[in-house]
Amino acid sequence: DGGITQSPKYLFRKEGQNVTLSCEQNLNHDAMYWYRQDPGQGLRLIYYSQIVNDFQKGDIAEGYSVSREKKESFPLTVTSAQKNPTAFYLCASRHMNRALNTEAFFGQGTRLTVV
Amino acid sequence: GQQLNQSPQSMFIQEGEDVSMNCTSSSIFNTWLWYKQDPGEGPVLLIALYKAGELTSNGRLTAQFGITRKDSFLNISASIPSDVGIYFCAGQRAGAGSYQLTFGKGTKLSVIP
């Protein structure tokens, strides 16, 4: 089945550690996105990528890094520079072709907790 | 970054009642999307709107793309307990190269049996 998969579902990190969240899609979507969700804050864009080997900072990129070496994959690294990393992280993907519907589809999310 | 103004923030309704929520923006959008999120899960797409004035239904859900292209609403008729969750609107602004989606802060719906 086609879809977008995030792993792990739950992740615990010690302070000072880097952690990487996985996002894989087999929908042949061009664009992929990472959002952070905190209670009452809605979705805030961290990074996005419209094409392989290219990505752009979103509204809250500080303390995060990404790569887009393959079309299907867009991993997010939460670095030790992110001062408040505990949150629910959502990955999304969508087509970029104007001739196609461009709805964004989301993964199931990763809940990161700093211990 | 810009956020859409989504209202109400939360609502408590009796099972069987109809629900209405809306999003407004100062910018023009060429796409409006409505999502529902259950606790601990990713948002699931409910309805997509692509034309100003478009009215689209999905079962008990109906959404409209405002004719000014700056607003959209979502109606849920005859609510049931499984309608509980957070509903988000999202819009894509008109303009070349703008492929980012802007999200509202969500409407938390509680249904009283």
Side-chain angles (χ1 to χ4, degrees):
Chain A
D1 287 348
I4 180 166
T5 302
Q6 289 186 241
S7 62
K9 180 112 175 122
Y10 300 96
L11 187 56
F12 295 89
R13 188 194 96 171
K14 292 183 180 179
E15 286 192 24
Q17 281 184 338
N18 293 355
V19 288
T20 297
L21 284 59
S22 169
C23 180
E24 304 275 334
Q25 53 95 5
N26 59 4
L27 301 165
N28 199 33
H29 284 171
D30 307 289
M32 297 186 74
Y33 305 80
W34 274 105
Y35 293 91
R36 171 181 171 139
Q37 187 176 28
D38 297 284
Q41 296 258 7
L43 302 176
R44 293 186 290 169
L45 182 64
I46 304 172
Y47 268 99
Y48 66 100
S49 168
Q50 297 179 0
I51 194 170
V52 173
N53 292 324
D54 185 57
F55 47 83
Q56 307 295 330
K57 291 182 179 180
D59 301 320
I60 56 165
E62 185 175 351
Y64 301 97
S65 66
V66 293
S67 62
R68 187 87 186 276
E69 297 177 1
K70 299 185 299 181
K71 188 176 185 179
E72 302 80 18
S73 178
F74 191 41
L76 173 74
T77 296
V78 184
T79 74
S80 57
Q82 171 49 238
K83 297 306 177 190
N84 185 22
T86 294
F88 191 51
Y89 291 87
L90 288 162
C91 180
S93 69
R94 62 197 295 224
H95 281 297
M96 295 278 289
N97 187 331
R98 292 180 186 274
L100 299 170
N101 290 339
T102 58
E103 304 99 65
F105 293 91
F106 284 86
Q108 289 191 306
T110 294
R111 182 163 298 281
L112 173 64
T113 303
V114 173
V115 297
Chain B
Q2 179 189 17
Q3 287 222 322
L4 299 174
N5 298 314
Q6 186 172 350
S7 64
Q9 266 190 320
S10 63
M11 46 195 320
F12 291 82
I13 61 167
Q14 206 73 32
E15 182 177 356
E17 287 184 349
D18 296 343
V19 173
S20 184
M21 59 192 78
N22 70 85
C23 278
T24 60
S25 171
S26 56
S27 302
I28 290 174
F29 284 80
N30 59 11
T31 300
W32 283 97
L33 306 172
W34 283 93
Y35 291 87
K36 182 194 177 201
Q37 185 179 30
D38 291 326
E41 301 293 332
V44 174
L45 182 68
L46 298 174
I47 292 179
L49 302 161
Y50 293 100
K51 295 180 183 177
E54 179 181 354
L55 184 72
T56 298
S57 293
N58 178 8
R60 293 179 296 106
L61 278 61
T62 301
Q64 183 157 32
F65 192 142
I67 57 172
T68 66
R69 297 169 67 190
K70 293 182 178 181
D71 63 324
S72 177
F73 72 74
L74 174 71
N75 287 344
I76 304 173
S77 63
S79 59
I80 59 178
S82 62
D83 290 334
V84 165
I86 302 178
Y87 292 79
F88 290 99
C89 61
Q92 177 179 303
R93 285 199 300 276
S98 175
Y99 284 98
Q100 292 186 41
L101 284 175
T102 303
F103 283 85
K105 290 192 174 183
T107 295
K108 186 174 182 180
L109 178 64
S110 300
V111 178
I112 304 166

